[in-house]
Amino acid sequence: MADLASSLHPFLQTLQDQSAQSLVQALKPQTVTDRVAVLLFLLSAFGYLSRGRVWDKPDPYHNVWFERPQQEGGNTSHKRTETSRDVSQRLEEGKYQCVIFWGSQSGTSERFAEALGRECSSRFGINALVADLSDFEPESISSISQNHFAIFLLSTYGEGDPSDNTTGLWDWIKSIKDNEKSLSNLRYLAFGLGNSNYKYYNRVLDVVADALDATGATALIPRGRADDATGGTEEDFQAWKDDVFALFRKMGYAERPIKYEPSIEVSFTTGEEPHESTTSVTHQKSNLNSSIASLPIRNARELFTAGDRNCIHLELDLGHHELGYKTGDHIGIWPTNPDQEVNRLFEVLGLTARRQETVKITALDGSCKNKLPPLTTLEAAFRHHLEICAPVPRKTFVDIAEFAASPDVKSKLLYYGQDRDRYAQLAASTHLNFARLLQLVGPGHVWNSLPLSFVLDTLLPLQPRYYSISSSSVISPRRIAVTALVVNHNLSPESVIHGLASNYLLSATKLPNNASGPSPSYSLQESPESEGGRLYAHVRKSKFKLPLTSSTPLVLISAGTGFAPFRAFIAERAKLHALGKPVGHMLVFFGCRSAESDYIYRDELEKFQTQLGDRLEIVTAFSRDGNKKVYVQDRVAENSTRVLEMLDAGANMYICGKASMAREVDRKLEDAKVASGSGESEVKAWTDALKKRGKWKADVWG
């Protein structure tokens, strides 16, 4: 047997070799298609095996996206180190007497909460915990004892929506109403921030306070409301705060004399130089969807054909920046303060000679957020970082009085600061920013007695101004179009409030100024490669989006520059139509003053009309053509039957422009629905259902 196996071995080995060769030959690619398939297989295998090693590596800083952002380089002592999310436990451990909760989308409620917390301490010795609502479990509010009390400062935006950091409280409030939970131990005060131009004015405040009352909580004073429609948010808060302080006196808290206590230490330094980024806004790391980039201006042009106003179109070139956008998003423009106001502030403070010197800013209060880089120049602070053009609230009059150089100046400050009506009358007739106020009460006086820390503490941080993007990311992915009305508000022949960002844009584009008076000048970023300057900007994501299906009909309602996103919507639909895609009918309502002067993008609309034919229908409203004023909401009312039919058939409706216009459009359509036989409760359910499904959207302001 061994001999047999030995003799068969060469034969078997030959068969095995031939089989292996046949297998290799069979597996060997025979055609170009086979070779491509093998290559793709090998690349896929390499990609799978190298993921996380060569590419798509885990971001070690991924967690930062889920933390409350802080400013780069700033003092970090204010970051919360406590881990407890039980507010009642925090109150006990920190020996706090009260908690001030804030819910904010733009930062105003947060600013009010921080200011109120400081005043509670300095004026009444009340140790207040200033708390972001998202930092605590809302259920723990029910455990707050009667030895403490809670203050709620709540913003409402959009269609009666809570701010992002209020969603946890919002859900909990609904649950306690359903579960009939008792909150009889809770004592509270509540103040809401809203705009009466919106249909659901201060809805968040009312929903929360009504639920607390229904579950046995005790409101220590009536709820307060701010109305931004009249520009009275600061004054409304001040009036409510006066009632709060009156309550504290009744509760037995002794009031101390008002004295300024700095939250920052400011010193001039020659040993350290600020980083280049601190001379602009690029150091900012607030609640942004994207980084801030310096972008060159392209294709700037005037849109109005007559009159004494400007409406400008410009495009920002994204180039190779990582910045990107989607149709319907917003662009945040970071303006600089005009030369005249920067110079005015330096002169009245007696700091002109020190404007280029470096200042070092150190936070003294652990809860204080830095609004300035730790090292910067005074020039950069006043030009790029602080709202030096903003109107001065009444409280600032009283605060400045502490540093008045003479009894006469102090008397003037208190005369207006301690009387709401006098202040309102002055503010209605005079443009009062910080520097102008100092000039008004002390003509020719240099305020070198005013601490620089007070000035930097008092002035608000400069904020971006948002514009609806008027270009389509499908057609123009690396260009962002901006449509801006240049605003100049005449209080009197001698006093004009120039819109900060819009005049900044006009200056940057180098287009002629159509206004009768002079326009402010700005220190601009030069851009040799373009016809205009450069702008700092970032992109803010929006839910104001086209439906995924291009065949969905659209109802588009706008007035003035509210047409901006619809320019992008129509252009994108026209492009899809040119590519052979099915496009739904678009009924467009547009309103402006006159067909001859401010019908923006009229030539483009006519081209779209030619391309799209009966798929695009335009209904116009002109408020200053002829003897009768016709507004866009009037045209909607005239065509309400068609609009309702389109909505019932599955169309999407979008409204963009001033909030007052959007509110009127809502009312006209609801009236038409009632006239068709529906009850008021049915109409409300109908509109709520459309909005919940994203079929009725609004992008409005003011």
Side-chain angles (χ1 to χ4, degrees):
M1 290 293 294
D3 292 341
L4 179 61
S6 178
S7 62
L8 287 174
H9 179 74
F11 174 71
L12 294 173
Q13 184 64 42
T14 300
L15 286 177
Q16 185 177 4
D17 292 344
Q18 290 176 348
S19 298
Q21 290 173 4
S22 299
L23 180 61
V24 170
Q25 188 66 29
L27 291 175
K28 186 177 180 180
Q30 302 296 316
T31 66
V32 173
T33 303
D34 292 341
R35 294 187 182 94
V36 171
V38 170
L39 178 60
L40 290 174
F41 171 78
L42 293 173
L43 288 173
S44 300
F46 173 77
Y48 176 79
L49 294 173
S50 62
R51 183 179 183 184
R53 297 179 177 88
V54 177
W55 67 283
D56 196 24
K57 295 181 180 180
D59 181 359
Y61 304 106
H62 180 67
N63 64 296
V64 172
W65 291 99
F66 305 97
E67 298 174 356
R68 291 189 61 221
Q70 310 295 342
Q71 291 182 347
E72 181 179 0
N75 183 288
T76 58
S77 61
H78 61 278
K79 293 183 180 179
R80 187 166 64 85
T81 57
E82 300 88 343
T83 57
S84 174
R85 288 178 53 82
D86 186 323
V87 67
S88 61
Q89 181 182 338
R90 289 280 302 283
L91 289 171
E92 296 289 348
E93 292 175 350
K95 294 182 171 52
Y96 296 105
Q97 283 103 323
C98 74
V99 55
I100 304 173
F101 288 116
W102 58 266
S104 183
Q105 198 69 16
S106 65
T108 305
S109 292
E110 180 181 9
R111 175 168 60 83
F112 283 174
E114 291 172 349
L116 180 58
R118 288 194 296 270
E119 287 192 81
C120 285
S121 175
S122 62
R123 293 184 64 168
F124 295 95
I126 297 174
N127 189 16
L129 171 64
V130 179
D132 180 338
L133 276 163
S134 64
D135 284 345
F136 296 94
E137 295 295 341
E139 293 85 356
S140 65
I141 294 174
S142 61
S143 302
I144 296 176
S145 72
Q146 286 186 325
N147 296 327
H148 305 93
F149 59 92
I151 300 176
F152 295 89
L153 304 182
L154 304 171
S155 295
T156 299
Y157 79 101
E159 294 295 321
D161 299 318
S163 60
D164 292 342
N165 73 316
T166 311
T167 52
L169 174 73
W170 193 249
D171 293 339
W172 177 67
I173 283 294
K174 293 178 180 178
S175 71
I176 64 172
K177 287 175 65 177
D178 296 338
N179 299 331
E180 298 182 353
K181 186 178 180 63
S182 174
L183 298 177
S184 57
N185 286 334
L186 180 64
R187 300 183 301 159
Y188 80 94
L189 303 88
F191 183 81
L193 289 84
N195 187 313
S196 61
N197 282 331
Y198 290 79
K199 182 178 179 180
Y200 297 102
Y201 168 56
N202 263 315
R203 176 173 177 252
V204 174
L205 166 73
D206 289 333
V207 168
V208 171
D210 287 348
L212 294 178
D213 292 345
T215 52
T218 302
L220 298 177
I221 61 173
R223 65 192 72 166
R225 289 179 174 82
D227 186 2
D228 198 45
T230 60
T233 296
E234 295 276 352
E235 185 57 43
D236 291 336
F237 179 67
Q238 181 64 39
W240 178 78
K241 196 167 58 173
D242 291 343
D243 294 339
V244 173
F245 292 162
L247 170 70
F248 291 166
R249 296 183 196 103
K250 291 180 182 178
M251 294 172 71
Y253 291 104
E255 187 171 8
R256 305 168 181 173
I258 300 174
K259 186 178 180 181
Y260 168 64
E261 295 180 4
S263 65
I264 56 174
E265 181 181 275
V266 183
S267 58
F268 288 92
T269 177
T270 56
E272 300 175 274
E273 294 296 326
H275 189 273
E276 184 179 355
S277 67
T278 65
T279 62
S280 70
V281 299
T282 54
H283 80 290
Q284 295 280 355
K285 287 188 178 294
S286 52
N287 293 315
L288 307 180
N289 295 133
S290 70
S291 59
I292 302 171
S294 173
L295 305 173
I297 295 173
R298 313 284 190 194
N299 191 27
R301 66 182 190 272
E302 175 62 50
L303 295 177
F304 285 171
T305 55
D308 58 355
R309 301 186 303 157
N310 291 88
C311 185
I312 55 178
H313 170 97
L314 61 94
E315 294 169 12
L316 297 177
D317 191 345
L318 301 183
H320 299 293
H321 286 285
E322 61 180 20
L323 211 61
Y325 76 102
K326 297 294 183 183
T327 306
D329 282 346
H330 301 142
I331 181 79
I333 302 294
W334 293 81
T336 64
N337 290 309
D339 299 331
Q340 294 88 339
E341 297 304 326
V342 173
N343 295 336
R344 187 194 309 273
L345 185 55
F346 274 116
E347 289 169 7
V348 76
L349 295 176
L351 292 170
T352 301
R354 311 196 74 173
R355 61 192 299 161
Q356 298 298 339
E357 291 188 31
T358 301
V359 290
K360 185 175 184 179
I361 301 166
T362 307
L364 300 176
D365 182 354
S367 65
C368 177
K369 287 186 177 180
N370 286 343
K371 52 190 172 185
L372 291 167
L375 282 176
T376 188
T377 63
L378 275 184
E379 172 81 23
F382 290 163
R383 190 176 295 280
H384 296 290
H385 299 304
L386 298 171
E387 291 273 9
I388 69 170
C389 296
V392 179
R394 182 163 59 95
K395 177 181 180 297
T396 303
F397 282 64
V398 179
D399 294 341
I400 294 175
E402 180 182 342
F403 305 100
S406 70
D408 180 56
V409 172
K410 184 173 184 177
S411 176
K412 286 182 182 178
L413 287 164
L414 296 179
Y415 177 78
Y416 293 109
Q418 294 179 340
D419 188 287
R420 180 172 185 169
D421 293 335
R422 290 187 197 131
Y423 165 80
Q425 187 176 4
L426 179 66
S429 60
T430 309
H431 179 201
L432 278 181
N433 58 33
F434 192 84
R436 288 170 183 253
L437 167 61
L438 297 180
Q439 288 182 333
L440 177 70
V441 297
H445 177 64
V446 175
W447 287 76
N448 47 24
S449 61
L450 202 60
L452 184 54
S453 61
F454 175 87
V455 176
L456 302 184
D457 263 337
T458 302
L459 293 170
L460 300 177
L462 190 65
Q463 297 294 324
R465 272 60 170 176
Y466 289 98
Y467 296 86
S468 296
I469 294 174
S470 53
S471 56
S472 163
S473 58
V474 171
I475 300 171
S476 179
R478 304 310 299 163
R479 288 276 185 97
I480 289 178
V482 181
T483 307
L485 175 69
V486 179
V487 178
N488 295 298
H489 181 51
N490 295 301
L491 294 176
S492 68
E494 296 78 25
S495 186
V496 180
I497 299 178
H498 298 285
L500 180 65
S502 60
N503 279 278
Y504 171 65
L505 290 175
L506 178 62
S507 178
T509 59
K510 301 179 181 178
L511 292 169
N513 175 27
N514 291 339
S516 56
S519 59
S521 62
Y522 295 83
S523 176
L524 301 169
Q525 300 179 75
E526 292 301 323
S527 183
E529 74 276 17
S530 71
E531 64 272 24
R534 300 177 72 91
L535 301 175
Y536 286 112
H538 75 277
V539 172
R540 182 176 71 179
K541 294 178 182 177
S542 166
K543 296 179 180 178
F544 204 67
K545 302 294 185 186
L546 281 167
L548 294 176
T549 306
S550 62
S551 58
T552 301
L554 304 179
V555 179
L556 308 177
I557 305 169
S558 68
T561 54
F563 181 72
F566 299 154
R567 174 182 184 260
F569 286 7
I570 298 169
E572 193 162 306
R573 282 283 177 97
K575 180 69 172 179
L576 293 173
H577 175 65
L579 295 173
K581 301 291 184 182
V583 171
H585 181 75
M586 290 177 282
L587 177 58
V588 180
F589 295 90
F590 172 71
C592 63
R593 291 184 179 183
S594 169
E596 301 304 319
S597 61
D598 52 0
Y599 189 166
I600 60 174
Y601 300 116
R602 183 174 185 171
D603 53 342
E604 293 185 11
L605 273 174
E606 290 173 352
K607 290 180 182 178
F608 290 142
Q609 188 99 62
T610 302
Q611 295 174 30
L612 291 163
D614 59 4
R615 291 173 179 81
L616 177 61
E617 181 181 356
I618 302 169
V619 179
T620 55
F622 304 113
S623 62
R624 298 194 184 181
D625 274 359
N627 297 322
K628 185 180 179 181
K629 292 185 176 182
V630 180
Y631 297 98
V632 70
Q633 55 265 31
D634 299 323
R635 295 301 191 205
V636 172
E638 292 170 6
N639 293 270
S640 59
T641 301
R642 290 195 56 213
V643 173
L644 296 180
E645 288 174 352
M646 289 181 68
L647 289 173
D648 289 339
N652 279 23
M653 184 170 72
Y654 301 83
I655 307 172
C656 188
K658 289 187 176 180
S660 55
M661 177 273 291
R663 185 182 60 186
E664 284 299 306
V665 168
D666 286 4
R667 187 174 65 83
K668 297 289 187 183
L669 291 177
E670 289 169 358
D671 289 347
K673 193 73 173 174
V674 169
S676 69
S678 300
E680 291 187 6
S681 60
E682 291 177 292
V683 172
K684 186 179 186 306
W686 173 74
T687 57
D688 289 347
L690 287 173
K691 290 173 181 179
K692 188 174 182 179
R693 287 158 45 208
K695 306 294 285 184
W696 182 327
K697 294 186 177 183
D699 186 1
V700 298
W701 59 86

